[in-house]
Amino acid sequence: MLHITKTVKRIALGFLLALLLSALIRSVKVPFLTSTMLQGFFYCGITIAWMISILIRINERKVRSLLVAIAALVLLFFYFKIVRYNLIPDFGRAHRFFWYAYYIPFIGIPLCSILIAVRIGMKDDQRLHFRWYALYLVGLLLILTFLGNDVHELCFRFQGNPDYERYSYGPVYYLSVVWVLILTACSFIILYRKCTLSQVKKKVYYPISVLVLELLYMFIIFLYKGQTPDLPIIGYFRISEVYSICNIAFWEANIQIGLISANSEYSGIFKMSRIRTILVDENGDIVLKSASAKCPSKEQLLMAREDACYIAPDMRLQSHKVKGGWIYWVSDLSGIHRLSHQYREAAEQLAESNTLLSAENELKENKLRNEWKNQLYDEISLIAKPYFTRIRAELFQQDLSDRTFRRQASVACVASAYIKRRANLMFLKEQTGLIDARELLLSIRESMEYLQFLDISTHVTMLLKTSVCTYSADTILLLYDYFESFIEERTGLLEALMVRLVAENALTFKLIASLAKGTKDHGTTGYVGLSSAELAGRLIASGGKKTEVLEDDTLYITLTTPQGGSDNA
């Protein structure tokens, strides 16, 4: 059902009153006022009232401007009529000019109508296509043709002297009628096609009925050759009045059914709103209040102008400056406070849970670290145990001579250096699985320092041919075990020992041992558990190489690790 607001009711009532008064004025003579003047004042007042309502109700700036332009053209219509019939002598050139001027609003109103229809749904800053601006040129050409009719008579053709009783219509007049009909019909069709709401489309008979009424009256006027017929009801109204009223009624009907969006009854909507909102003037007096809003004190209203304040534990009063006063609204923060409390509780529980998890993870990490350390210490213990057993048996024998004790102590120092360095290399292995070849150099160098106590000349060097000299930890440990096993097997046979490491793609271990004259390279079993020959066999099995040459009591041994050892880093 069509909803008619109070504003529209007042406008419709005013138009009906103007129509009745206009009918009465045409039939009753009023002293000092002509019927044309009185009718014009009534219609102008109603048109101005409708224009003001458009300024209030329509939000789209360009559409609002065009509707106001239609109202202004209607006012111009009545202005020309008042001037023509009350201020200008009859049958003069000026009198005819104001008659021709009627066609300025007659042609301009349909032009505004089609532009309104095109503008609906567009943004205010969006420009129209250039083809629509061509209508301005056509409308202007038609208006200028009407104003210059005395020169060419293309609009109205007079028989002899210009006379309102004896004239006929020219081609431009019919063209203007076609202009009005086509543009008005197109404007409605465009509005209808842009509408997507079926409820609105069901009400299109309201604006259509207005158009039918206007067309019917224009057809009757055409049959009577532009003269108002002396018929019941119809005879009381002129074409200018009907044309103006019908155009305003047409666009008001479009607004009411929803083809043009509008806002009205703000105060009623404001009062029914569930938002706790209050409108006050500059003095702090309440102008409007929603049904759910409570009235704060003036002190609270003034305080809220500076900054938001609480009027209840969960109610915050805020404000914003508007034209003519202030708007206040109350925000219910109980839900936010409840969620905040729940969030804090959840955060505390989560923090406690995270603390427990961190402690549990730390315990697991410490347990794994201790298990790893215990496993590593067990491996070191397995390596060190036979050394300690043998050293204890040989070093703490009774009746040892000083020379024998010194020799056994030197052997024990060599073994201790091996145990310490072997354990260090095992720790490095557990970190990344790779060991720098320079760690092997330091380990061999320390062992050789203690070999000098056994009157063995030693020397160790290293040649770096690559910037990356890290190799598999197992390979480094295997080379160090081989070195230890070699010197343990030949402790009593060695006179001099030299080791040279060459670090490149593969690690090369070169050993030169000078043996006592007249001896063969057979040696004794060492503490490592595997003989040097067995360790060399393991290297060869993994892809390494070994060369061994005995020449003039000098033993030359070269061990080469598998290719690509340094690339593993």
Side-chain angles (χ1 to χ4, degrees):
M1 184 176 179
L2 183 64
H3 173 68
I4 302 178
T5 64
K6 292 181 180 180
T7 303
V8 177
K9 288 179 180 179
R10 288 193 293 267
I11 295 172
L13 183 61
F15 268 105
L16 291 175
L17 181 60
L19 290 174
L20 292 175
L21 288 175
S22 118
L24 291 174
I25 290 169
R26 289 178 64 85
S27 60
V28 179
K29 294 183 179 180
V30 179
F32 308 108
L33 287 175
T34 64
S35 60
T36 306
M37 184 178 295
L38 191 57
Q39 288 174 343
F41 288 156
F42 273 112
Y43 288 124
C44 286
I46 295 301
T47 304
I48 291 172
W50 185 73
M51 181 191 297
I52 294 173
S53 74
I54 290 298
L55 292 172
I56 295 173
R57 291 182 293 159
I58 306 302
N59 291 327
E60 295 182 55
R61 182 170 56 86
K62 293 294 181 64
V63 174
R64 182 175 65 243
S65 300
L66 290 168
L67 286 171
V68 170
I70 289 177
L73 289 171
V74 171
L75 290 175
L76 193 62
F77 216 146
F78 290 113
Y79 168 76
F80 290 148
K81 184 177 179 181
I82 293 171
V83 172
R84 180 188 175 210
Y85 285 104
N86 296 277
L87 302 177
I88 304 298
D90 291 345
F91 306 112
R93 183 180 295 273
H95 198 270
R96 289 195 307 278
F97 180 81
F98 275 91
W99 176 35
Y100 300 152
Y102 285 177
Y103 291 89
I104 297 176
F106 185 78
I107 294 170
I109 290 175
L111 175 59
C112 293
S113 298
I114 191 70
L115 294 177
I116 290 172
V118 175
R119 270 287 175 188
I120 293 295
M122 295 176 62
K123 296 180 180 179
D124 284 336
D125 57 351
Q126 188 174 353
R127 296 179 63 87
L128 292 174
H129 195 275
F130 71 91
R131 66 172 176 266
W132 296 108
Y133 293 102
L135 293 176
Y136 285 102
L137 298 176
V138 178
L140 180 61
L141 183 60
L142 287 174
I143 291 172
L144 293 176
T145 305
F146 272 96
L147 295 179
N149 184 70
D150 283 352
V151 178
H152 48 71
E153 294 189 357
L154 292 175
C155 305
F156 304 103
R157 294 175 177 175
F158 301 101
Q159 298 175 7
N161 294 327
D163 187 350
Y164 300 120
E165 299 295 334
R166 291 174 295 176
Y167 68 90
S168 60
Y169 297 117
V172 176
Y173 175 82
Y174 293 107
L175 185 61
S176 67
V177 173
V178 172
W179 165 275
V180 171
L181 294 176
I182 291 178
L183 264 61
T184 304
C186 288
S187 62
F188 179 75
I189 293 171
I190 292 173
L191 281 176
Y192 184 81
R193 293 186 64 183
K194 284 188 175 182
C195 181
T196 58
L197 299 176
S198 59
Q199 297 89 341
V200 174
K201 290 185 175 181
K202 292 178 181 179
K203 303 172 184 177
V204 295
Y205 55 85
Y206 287 98
I208 289 177
S209 62
V210 175
L211 290 178
V212 170
L213 180 62
E214 181 182 3
L215 291 174
L216 181 61
Y217 187 85
M218 291 178 67
F219 179 72
I220 294 173
I221 295 297
F222 179 77
L223 293 179
Y224 282 82
K225 298 182 178 181
Q227 301 299 320
T228 303
D230 189 12
L231 297 173
I233 301 177
I234 297 177
Y236 289 104
F237 305 102
R238 295 184 180 275
I239 182 62
S240 59
E241 298 161 1
V242 174
Y243 183 73
S244 301
I245 292 171
C246 287
N247 272 284
I248 292 177
F250 170 73
W251 285 111
E252 186 60 41
N254 286 322
I255 293 172
Q256 289 303 309
I257 68 173
L259 286 178
I260 298 178
S261 59
N263 290 323
S264 60
E265 295 296 328
Y266 285 116
S267 59
I269 296 173
F270 191 89
K271 290 177 182 178
M272 291 186 296
S273 173
R274 293 185 178 181
I275 303 174
R276 302 177 180 89
T277 311
I278 301 171
L279 273 174
V280 302
D281 57 18
E282 294 290 354
N283 298 323
D285 298 325
I286 296 176
V287 179
L288 278 176
K289 182 177 75 70
S290 62
S292 58
K294 296 181 179 180
C295 294
S297 63
K298 276 196 174 184
E299 291 75 12
Q300 290 173 331
L301 293 176
L302 293 174
M303 189 184 303
R305 291 185 184 184
E306 302 296 332
D307 195 8
C309 63
Y310 283 87
I311 58 176
D314 292 327
M315 299 295 176
R316 185 173 65 181
L317 180 64
Q318 297 172 265
S319 67
H320 184 75
K321 185 72 173 68
V322 295
K323 185 178 180 180
W326 292 78
I327 183 170
Y328 294 86
W329 66 94
V330 178
S331 301
D332 185 0
L333 303 181
S334 57
I336 296 176
H337 290 166
R338 182 172 60 256
L339 291 175
S340 179
H341 178 69
Q342 294 175 356
Y343 171 77
R344 284 196 297 271
E345 289 183 349
E348 291 175 359
Q349 294 176 359
L350 187 60
E352 293 175 358
S353 177
N354 288 337
T355 302
L356 292 175
L357 288 174
S358 298
E360 184 180 355
N361 291 334
E362 187 176 355
L363 288 173
K364 289 181 179 180
E365 186 178 350
N366 290 335
K367 182 179 179 181
L368 292 174
R369 189 183 297 110
N370 291 332
E371 290 178 355
W372 170 74
K373 287 183 178 179
N374 291 333
Q375 182 180 358
L376 188 60
Y377 290 151
D378 290 341
E379 293 178 2
I380 295 173
S381 178
L382 289 175
I383 295 173
K385 185 175 180 180
Y387 282 92
F388 291 148
T389 301
R390 192 165 182 174
I391 289 172
R392 187 180 297 110
E394 294 181 356
L395 192 60
F396 295 100
Q397 293 179 8
Q398 296 181 354
D399 302 328
L400 288 177
S401 61
D402 291 342
R403 183 174 181 178
T404 303
F405 180 79
R406 184 174 179 276
R407 178 179 177 78
Q408 295 296 344
S410 299
V411 172
C413 288
V414 174
S416 297
Y418 169 72
I419 294 170
K420 183 187 76 171
R421 285 292 179 176
R422 186 61 159 73
N424 181 58
L425 293 176
M426 291 174 70
F427 277 112
L428 294 176
K429 173 187 176 182
E430 295 299 327
Q431 292 178 5
T432 61
L434 300 172
I435 299 178
D436 196 308
R438 286 167 288 199
E439 292 290 340
L440 177 61
L441 174 68
L442 295 175
S443 300
I444 294 173
R445 179 173 292 164
E446 185 173 353
S447 297
M448 283 187 167
E449 289 176 355
Y450 290 108
L451 284 176
Q452 293 177 4
F453 294 149
L454 296 173
D455 298 327
I456 300 174
S457 298
T458 60
H459 182 70
V460 59
T461 60
M462 183 176 184
L463 176 62
L464 292 175
K465 292 186 177 182
T466 179
S467 59
V468 181
C469 54
T470 52
Y471 300 88
S472 171
D474 293 332
T475 301
I476 297 296
L477 290 172
L478 182 63
L479 291 176
Y480 190 47
D481 289 343
Y482 179 85
F483 170 78
E484 182 66 22
S485 179
F486 180 85
I487 60 176
E488 288 177 1
E489 292 171 353
R490 297 166 178 78
T491 301
L493 306 177
L494 292 173
E495 291 183 349
L497 181 64
M498 185 179 73
V499 174
R500 180 178 176 82
L501 299 175
V502 180
E504 47 188 345
N505 191 29
L507 180 61
T508 302
F509 177 91
K510 295 182 178 181
L511 185 146
I512 301 176
S514 178
L515 305 177
K517 293 183 179 181
T519 61
K520 295 183 179 180
D521 179 34
H522 48 77
T524 59
T525 304
Y527 298 166
V528 176
L530 293 175
S531 65
S532 59
E534 292 173 332
L535 293 170
R538 287 191 174 186
L539 179 66
I540 295 171
S542 64
K545 297 178 182 179
K546 177 190 177 184
T547 59
E548 181 176 340
V549 176
L550 179 63
E551 183 178 310
D552 296 334
D553 300 327
T554 301
L555 185 61
Y556 301 91
I557 298 175
T558 301
L559 300 177
T560 304
T561 63
Q563 293 290 326
S566 62
D567 293 338
N568 295 331

